[in-house]
Amino acid sequence: DVPRFIPFRWSAEEGLYSSKTTWTAFVSLLCALQVIQIIWFGMICRVAWRVLTTDSGASDDRSDEEGDEKED
């Protein structure tokens, strides 16, 4: 549907910088972003499920030793 609304023309004078390659790159990056968001959502759901189903609740597994070193 893109060519019906935005013509595939590369014309700097008119401000049109659309081509089949730029459209394909744009859609590919959007798909990659969608995959990253699905993975992120799965990780959030897994942590939420673990918090809800265990008695210990949420725990912070990060180490505190990294930030304790004092630099002179």
Side-chain angles (χ1 to χ4, degrees):
D1 287 344
V2 172
R4 290 192 308 169
F5 302 111
I6 302 170
F8 286 143
R9 287 196 346 235
W10 193 275
S11 175
E13 296 84 24
E14 298 177 23
L16 296 172
Y17 300 102
S18 179
S19 68
K20 182 73 172 169
T21 305
T22 57
W23 180 78
T24 304
F26 179 73
V27 171
S28 299
L29 290 172
L30 276 178
C31 289
L33 181 62
Q34 183 69 27
V35 168
I36 291 169
Q37 287 182 337
I38 289 169
I39 292 169
W40 189 288
F41 181 72
M43 294 171 129
I44 291 172
C45 288
R46 189 172 59 191
V47 169
W49 181 257
R50 201 175 305 152
V51 167
L52 293 174
T53 58
T54 60
D55 294 333
S56 62
S59 66
D60 190 0
D61 297 331
R62 298 176 290 180
S63 66
D64 293 333
E65 296 175 8
E66 288 183 24
D68 291 342
E69 296 177 15
K70 293 183 180 178
E71 296 180 12
D72 293 323

XYZ file of all heavy atoms in Angstrom:
580
model
N 0.804 -1.205 0.000
C 0.000 0.000 0.000
C 0.847 1.270 0.000
O 0.319 2.347 -0.217
C -0.918 0.026 1.215
C -2.062 -0.972 1.085
O -2.301 -1.441 -0.030
O -2.706 -1.254 2.098
N 2.126 1.152 0.286
C 2.961 2.345 0.377
C 3.009 3.128 -0.928
O 2.874 4.354 -0.906
C 4.384 1.979 0.867
C 5.312 3.158 0.772
C 4.328 1.481 2.287
N 3.183 2.493 -2.098
C 3.251 3.294 -3.328
C 1.975 4.076 -3.634
O 2.029 5.069 -4.342
C 3.526 2.262 -4.422
C 4.119 1.108 -3.718
C 3.502 1.105 -2.355
N 0.839 3.659 -3.079
C -0.389 4.422 -3.319
C -0.361 5.748 -2.581
O -0.929 6.731 -3.037
C -1.613 3.631 -2.876
C -1.909 2.440 -3.757
C -3.247 1.865 -3.475
N -3.411 1.591 -2.044
C -4.566 1.281 -1.480
N -5.646 1.205 -2.218
N -4.640 1.040 -0.198
N 0.296 5.794 -1.426
C 0.299 7.000 -0.606
C 1.585 7.810 -0.754
O 1.560 9.026 -0.705
C 0.102 6.635 0.870
C -1.171 5.885 1.120
C -1.148 4.558 1.490
C -2.401 6.508 0.966
C -2.320 3.868 1.723
C -3.576 5.827 1.182
C -3.542 4.502 1.565
N 2.707 7.120 -0.884
C 4.000 7.785 -1.016
C 4.683 7.215 -2.255
O 5.012 6.027 -2.286
C 4.888 7.531 0.219
C 4.197 8.013 1.482
C 6.236 8.213 0.055
C 4.887 7.595 2.757
N 4.921 8.045 -3.253
C 5.570 7.512 -4.458
C 7.041 7.185 -4.180
O 7.715 7.876 -3.431
C 5.441 8.657 -5.468
C 5.291 9.887 -4.641
C 4.596 9.464 -3.381
N 7.524 6.100 -4.807
C 8.930 5.737 -4.681
C 9.737 6.629 -5.616
O 9.989 6.309 -6.771
C 9.152 4.270 -5.041
C 8.681 3.297 -4.004
C 8.103 2.103 -4.368
C 8.827 3.570 -2.658
C 7.685 1.196 -3.415
C 8.412 2.664 -1.690
C 7.838 1.479 -2.071
N 10.129 7.773 -5.113
C 10.961 8.707 -5.885
C 12.032 9.270 -4.974
O 11.807 9.506 -3.796
C 10.140 9.866 -6.436
C 9.251 9.474 -7.571
C 8.721 10.641 -8.376
N 8.864 11.941 -7.779
C 7.872 12.802 -7.574
N 6.652 12.471 -7.900
N 8.084 13.978 -7.063
N 13.213 9.476 -5.524
C 14.321 10.066 -4.782
C 14.561 11.430 -5.407
O 15.233 11.583 -6.403
C 15.562 9.188 -4.896
C 16.626 9.574 -3.925
C 17.561 10.536 -4.109
C 16.847 9.030 -2.638
N 18.351 10.620 -3.011
C 17.940 9.702 -2.084
C 16.231 8.046 -1.894
C 18.441 9.418 -0.824
C 16.726 7.762 -0.650
C 17.816 8.439 -0.124
N 13.980 12.460 -4.807
C 14.094 13.821 -5.330
C 14.366 14.764 -4.165
O 13.465 15.116 -3.404
C 12.799 14.209 -6.053
O 12.857 15.547 -6.459
N 15.619 15.205 -4.053
C 16.001 16.089 -2.948
C 15.326 17.446 -3.077
O 15.016 18.090 -2.067
C 17.511 16.256 -2.915
N 15.076 17.896 -4.287
C 14.445 19.203 -4.489
C 13.018 19.230 -3.945
O 12.560 20.235 -3.421
C 14.424 19.570 -5.981
C 15.795 19.751 -6.598
C 16.401 18.426 -7.023
O 15.658 17.453 -7.275
O 17.638 18.370 -7.079
N 12.316 18.131 -4.093
C 10.938 18.034 -3.622
C 10.834 17.475 -2.206
O 9.743 17.426 -1.640
C 10.121 17.156 -4.578
C 10.039 17.702 -5.982
C 9.295 16.761 -6.897
O 8.486 15.944 -6.395
O 9.506 16.827 -8.113
N 11.939 17.029 -1.635
C 11.922 16.452 -0.291
C 11.430 15.025 -0.254
O 10.982 14.555 0.786
N 11.516 14.319 -1.377
C 11.099 12.922 -1.433
C 12.336 12.025 -1.401
O 13.181 12.088 -2.284
C 10.293 12.639 -2.704
C 8.967 13.382 -2.836
C 8.373 13.155 -4.214
C 8.008 12.907 -1.768
N 12.457 11.245 -0.354
C 13.601 10.358 -0.206
C 13.109 8.928 -0.008
O 13.560 8.219 0.866
C 14.449 10.783 0.993
C 14.986 12.183 0.864
C 14.394 13.226 1.549
C 16.064 12.452 0.042
C 14.880 14.511 1.430
C 16.563 13.730 -0.094
C 15.963 14.753 0.615
O 16.441 16.025 0.484
N 12.180 8.507 -0.826
C 11.578 7.188 -0.684
C 11.955 6.318 -1.875
O 11.854 6.727 -3.023
C 10.054 7.326 -0.606
O 9.455 6.082 -0.498
N 12.396 5.120 -1.572
C 12.675 4.140 -2.614
C 12.303 2.772 -2.064
O 12.002 2.617 -0.878
C 14.149 4.181 -3.026
O 14.969 3.730 -1.975
N 12.342 1.786 -2.912
C 12.025 0.428 -2.477
C 13.035 -0.041 -1.422
O 12.673 -0.704 -0.457
C 12.032 -0.502 -3.697
C 11.679 -1.915 -3.385
C 10.217 -2.072 -3.086
C 9.887 -3.553 -2.964
N 8.570 -3.776 -2.439
N 14.280 0.367 -1.567
C 15.315 -0.029 -0.610
C 15.083 0.604 0.754
O 15.190 -0.072 1.783
C 16.704 0.368 -1.144
O 16.887 -0.197 -2.438
C 17.804 -0.104 -0.219
N 14.743 1.892 0.792
C 14.510 2.546 2.081
C 13.260 1.982 2.748
O 13.230 1.819 3.969
C 14.366 4.068 1.925
O 13.308 4.362 1.009
C 15.652 4.693 1.441
N 12.237 1.674 1.963
C 11.021 1.092 2.527
C 11.307 -0.291 3.103
O 10.855 -0.627 4.194
C 9.934 1.015 1.454
C 8.654 0.429 1.956
C 7.704 1.045 2.705
C 8.203 -0.915 1.752
N 6.676 0.174 2.982
C 6.957 -1.039 2.405
C 8.718 -2.001 1.080
C 6.238 -2.212 2.411
C 7.995 -3.173 1.080
C 6.764 -3.264 1.741
N 12.085 -1.112 2.377
C 12.431 -2.446 2.852
C 13.264 -2.362 4.127
O 13.037 -3.127 5.074
C 13.193 -3.223 1.768
O 12.396 -3.258 0.581
C 13.511 -4.628 2.211
N 14.217 -1.445 4.183
C 15.045 -1.275 5.376
C 14.190 -0.836 6.559
O 14.355 -1.328 7.681
C 16.151 -0.266 5.108
N 13.275 0.091 6.322
C 12.399 0.589 7.382
C 11.519 -0.529 7.947
O 11.410 -0.710 9.159
C 11.525 1.732 6.847
C 10.574 2.291 7.848
C 11.026 3.079 8.892
C 9.220 2.034 7.753
C 10.147 3.602 9.828
C 8.331 2.547 8.681
C 8.797 3.341 9.715
N 10.915 -1.321 7.074
C 10.050 -2.420 7.518
C 10.871 -3.492 8.225
O 10.436 -4.056 9.233
C 9.260 -2.993 6.329
C 8.535 -4.270 6.703
C 8.262 -1.968 5.819
N 12.075 -3.759 7.749
C 12.942 -4.744 8.397
C 13.311 -4.300 9.809
O 13.291 -5.107 10.749
C 14.214 -4.958 7.582
O 13.906 -5.442 6.310
N 13.643 -3.033 9.979
C 13.971 -2.522 11.307
C 12.758 -2.542 12.237
O 12.888 -2.820 13.432
C 14.557 -1.113 11.201
C 15.955 -1.042 10.595
C 16.350 0.410 10.364
C 16.961 -1.733 11.470
N 11.572 -2.248 11.695
C 10.355 -2.338 12.503
C 10.099 -3.776 12.955
O 9.693 -4.013 14.102
C 9.146 -1.827 11.722
C 8.917 -0.328 11.724
C 7.694 0.010 10.867
C 8.724 0.195 13.113
N 10.337 -4.739 12.079
C 10.157 -6.146 12.450
C 11.160 -6.558 13.517
O 10.815 -7.281 14.456
C 10.279 -7.032 11.220
S 8.882 -6.878 10.096
N 12.404 -6.096 13.388
C 13.414 -6.403 14.395
C 13.025 -5.803 15.745
O 13.182 -6.439 16.788
C 14.779 -5.881 13.951
N 12.510 -4.586 15.739
C 12.050 -3.952 16.972
C 10.890 -4.724 17.586
O 10.825 -4.895 18.807
C 11.636 -2.504 16.698
C 11.158 -1.688 17.890
C 12.265 -1.551 18.923
C 10.692 -0.319 17.433
N 9.995 -5.226 16.757
C 8.869 -6.020 17.250
C 9.357 -7.293 17.927
O 8.854 -7.676 18.981
C 7.914 -6.351 16.104
C 6.689 -7.114 16.532
C 5.746 -6.275 17.366
O 5.702 -5.067 17.259
N 4.976 -6.929 18.217
N 10.346 -7.950 17.332
C 10.899 -9.169 17.921
C 11.535 -8.856 19.275
O 11.336 -9.586 20.256
C 11.919 -9.820 16.959
C 12.718 -10.903 17.646
C 11.219 -10.358 15.735
N 12.298 -7.763 19.351
C 12.919 -7.372 20.617
C 11.860 -7.089 21.675
O 12.001 -7.487 22.838
C 13.828 -6.146 20.408
C 15.055 -6.540 19.587
C 14.264 -5.542 21.736
C 15.880 -5.375 19.112
N 10.777 -6.428 21.297
C 9.711 -6.133 22.255
C 9.007 -7.402 22.728
O 8.628 -7.508 23.899
C 8.699 -5.165 21.646
C 9.241 -3.765 21.538
C 8.213 -2.808 20.973
O 7.279 -3.199 20.288
N 8.395 -1.532 21.269
N 8.831 -8.373 21.849
C 8.200 -9.640 22.243
C 9.097 -10.378 23.231
O 8.620 -10.912 24.234
C 7.883 -10.494 20.994
C 6.737 -9.860 20.206
C 7.562 -11.925 21.371
C 6.506 -10.463 18.840
N 10.400 -10.401 22.962
C 11.334 -11.047 23.887
C 11.315 -10.339 25.233
O 11.276 -10.971 26.288
C 12.753 -11.070 23.280
C 12.782 -12.005 22.078
C 13.790 -11.479 24.319
C 14.048 -11.913 21.256
N 11.353 -9.016 25.217
C 11.333 -8.230 26.452
C 10.042 -8.500 27.244
O 10.081 -8.686 28.458
C 11.436 -6.754 26.098
C 11.644 -5.858 27.275
C 10.730 -5.529 28.228
C 12.826 -5.169 27.641
N 11.258 -4.666 29.138
C 12.554 -4.432 28.802
C 14.095 -5.088 27.074
C 13.502 -3.637 29.410
C 15.022 -4.286 27.698
C 14.736 -3.590 28.841
N 8.921 -8.533 26.564
C 7.649 -8.800 27.228
C 7.637 -10.195 27.851
O 7.139 -10.389 28.958
C 6.489 -8.655 26.233
C 5.145 -8.901 26.844
C 4.588 -7.980 27.717
C 4.437 -10.057 26.549
C 3.347 -8.200 28.284
C 3.197 -10.291 27.109
C 2.650 -9.360 27.979
N 8.212 -11.173 27.147
C 8.312 -12.520 27.694
C 9.150 -12.557 28.956
O 8.814 -13.250 29.922
N 10.245 -11.812 28.968
C 11.084 -11.756 30.165
C 10.348 -11.108 31.326
O 10.441 -11.582 32.471
C 12.364 -10.975 29.868
C 13.277 -11.634 28.881
S 14.588 -10.517 28.435
C 15.992 -11.555 28.695
N 9.615 -10.045 31.060
C 8.845 -9.369 32.111
C 7.765 -10.294 32.653
O 7.551 -10.379 33.871
C 8.244 -8.053 31.578
C 9.357 -7.034 31.322
C 7.210 -7.485 32.541
C 8.909 -5.788 30.616
N 7.073 -11.005 31.769
C 6.035 -11.941 32.217
C 6.626 -13.072 33.046
O 6.034 -13.492 34.043
C 5.283 -12.513 31.014
S 4.198 -11.329 30.225
N 7.815 -13.554 32.670
C 8.460 -14.622 33.422
C 8.817 -14.159 34.835
O 8.595 -14.882 35.808
C 9.702 -15.087 32.684
C 10.312 -16.332 33.281
C 11.418 -16.868 32.433
N 12.453 -15.845 32.293
C 13.459 -15.922 31.450
N 13.559 -16.948 30.645
N 14.363 -14.981 31.385
N 9.340 -12.929 34.954
C 9.666 -12.398 36.282
C 8.398 -12.186 37.096
O 8.341 -12.524 38.288
C 10.468 -11.086 36.158
C 10.587 -10.389 37.491
C 11.840 -11.362 35.581
N 7.348 -11.649 36.472
C 6.088 -11.429 37.184
C 5.497 -12.750 37.650
O 4.991 -12.852 38.772
C 5.098 -10.681 36.287
N 5.560 -13.786 36.817
C 5.041 -15.097 37.193
C 5.823 -15.673 38.373
O 5.247 -16.230 39.295
C 5.101 -16.046 36.004
C 4.567 -17.401 36.318
C 5.288 -18.524 36.560
C 3.198 -17.766 36.455
N 4.456 -19.575 36.821
C 3.151 -19.132 36.769
C 2.004 -17.072 36.335
C 1.969 -19.810 36.963
C 0.823 -17.752 36.523
C 0.812 -19.093 36.837
N 7.134 -15.498 38.336
C 7.968 -15.994 39.415
C 7.655 -15.269 40.730
O 7.637 -15.878 41.792
C 9.435 -15.810 39.055
C 10.351 -16.712 39.849
C 11.787 -16.609 39.396
N 11.908 -16.859 37.958
C 12.868 -16.355 37.192
N 13.782 -15.582 37.711
N 12.909 -16.636 35.919
N 7.401 -13.982 40.665
C 7.057 -13.211 41.869
C 5.710 -13.658 42.421
O 5.534 -13.793 43.633
C 7.051 -11.697 41.564
C 6.411 -10.911 42.684
C 8.464 -11.204 41.311
N 4.760 -13.912 41.536
C 3.426 -14.285 41.987
C 3.344 -15.719 42.509
O 2.520 -16.011 43.382
C 2.416 -14.105 40.848
C 2.169 -12.667 40.405
C 1.275 -12.651 39.178
C 1.559 -11.854 41.523
N 4.164 -16.602 41.988
C 4.025 -18.007 42.371
C 4.973 -18.459 43.475
O 4.788 -19.543 44.017
C 4.248 -18.920 41.145
O 5.550 -18.675 40.606
C 3.175 -18.685 40.100
N 5.963 -17.669 43.815
C 6.873 -18.070 44.892
C 6.555 -17.280 46.151
O 6.007 -16.182 46.096
C 8.345 -17.834 44.501
O 8.527 -16.452 44.227
C 8.719 -18.662 43.289
N 6.913 -17.851 47.285
C 6.653 -17.187 48.560
C 7.674 -16.111 48.878
O 7.409 -15.208 49.663
C 6.647 -18.218 49.702
C 5.494 -19.189 49.571
O 4.467 -18.794 48.979
O 5.616 -20.327 50.044
N 8.841 -16.179 48.260
C 9.901 -15.226 48.597
C 9.693 -13.862 47.952
O 10.292 -12.889 48.378
C 11.261 -15.793 48.180
O 11.294 -15.985 46.782
N 8.864 -13.783 46.944
C 8.624 -12.506 46.279
C 9.763 -12.146 45.344
O 10.497 -12.997 44.872
N 9.940 -10.865 45.102
C 10.984 -10.405 44.198
C 12.300 -10.296 44.945
O 12.344 -9.901 46.098
C 10.605 -9.052 43.610
N 13.371 -10.666 44.260
C 14.692 -10.522 44.854
C 15.613 -9.869 43.836
O 15.456 -10.033 42.628
C 15.249 -11.881 45.266
O 15.469 -12.673 44.121
N 16.582 -9.132 44.350
C 17.550 -8.461 43.507
C 18.817 -9.304 43.504
O 19.510 -9.405 44.512
C 17.821 -7.058 44.049
C 18.632 -6.222 43.084
O 18.975 -6.725 41.999
O 18.915 -5.060 43.420
N 19.126 -9.928 42.371
C 20.263 -10.839 42.282
C 21.558 -10.139 41.884
O 22.593 -10.773 41.776
C 19.971 -11.951 41.276
C 18.802 -12.802 41.727
O 18.594 -12.905 42.941
O 18.115 -13.362 40.855
N 21.498 -8.854 41.653
C 22.707 -8.138 41.254
C 23.659 -8.020 42.441
O 23.247 -7.908 43.584
C 22.364 -6.742 40.746
C 21.477 -6.785 39.502
C 21.090 -5.431 39.099
N 20.155 -4.895 40.106
C 19.619 -3.685 40.047
N 19.918 -2.885 39.072
N 18.790 -3.285 40.981
N 24.949 -7.994 42.142
C 25.923 -7.886 43.227
C 26.131 -6.421 43.585
O 26.099 -5.539 42.734
C 27.254 -8.517 42.818
O 27.837 -7.773 41.776
N 26.368 -6.168 44.857
C 26.618 -4.810 45.324
C 28.103 -4.514 45.421
O 28.496 -3.413 45.777
C 25.978 -4.603 46.704
C 24.456 -4.639 46.634
O 23.932 -4.307 45.563
O 23.829 -4.989 47.643
N 28.946 -5.461 45.119
C 30.373 -5.301 45.291
C 31.019 -4.416 44.244
O 32.068 -3.840 44.488
C 31.051 -6.672 45.294
C 30.614 -7.518 46.478
C 31.200 -8.908 46.391
O 32.038 -9.158 45.518
O 30.805 -9.750 47.218
N 30.428 -4.269 43.080
C 31.031 -3.469 42.026
C 31.112 -1.992 42.385
O 32.079 -1.334 42.126
C 30.248 -3.624 40.730
C 30.435 -4.959 40.070
C 29.695 -5.035 38.761
O 29.430 -3.969 38.165
O 29.361 -6.140 38.343
N 30.084 -1.457 42.986
C 30.033 -0.039 43.287
C 30.698 0.344 44.592
O 30.809 1.514 44.911
N 31.180 -0.630 45.374
C 31.761 -0.339 46.682
C 33.212 0.101 46.630
O 33.746 0.625 47.600
C 31.642 -1.551 47.609
C 30.196 -1.803 47.999
O 29.379 -0.876 47.844
O 29.894 -2.925 48.464
N 33.878 -0.103 45.506
C 35.282 0.269 45.417
C 35.415 1.777 45.352
O 34.771 2.453 44.568
C 35.906 -0.358 44.174
C 35.924 -1.876 44.209
C 36.478 -2.434 42.910
O 37.081 -1.666 42.155
O 36.293 -3.637 42.688
N 36.274 2.314 46.210
C 36.506 3.759 46.230
C 37.723 4.085 45.392
O 38.765 3.454 45.500
C 36.716 4.241 47.655
C 35.488 4.115 48.499
C 35.725 4.670 49.870
C 34.455 4.525 50.711
N 34.637 5.009 52.067
N 37.560 5.087 44.533
C 38.679 5.501 43.703
C 39.316 6.734 44.311
O 38.653 7.676 44.706
C 38.183 5.810 42.280
C 37.617 4.601 41.581
C 37.129 4.941 40.184
O 37.446 6.038 39.716
O 36.419 4.115 39.605
N 40.643 6.710 44.412
C 41.357 7.855 44.981
C 41.885 8.756 43.901
O 42.244 8.429 42.865
C 42.518 7.397 45.872
C 41.973 6.690 47.127
O 40.931 7.141 47.617
O 42.608 5.715 47.561
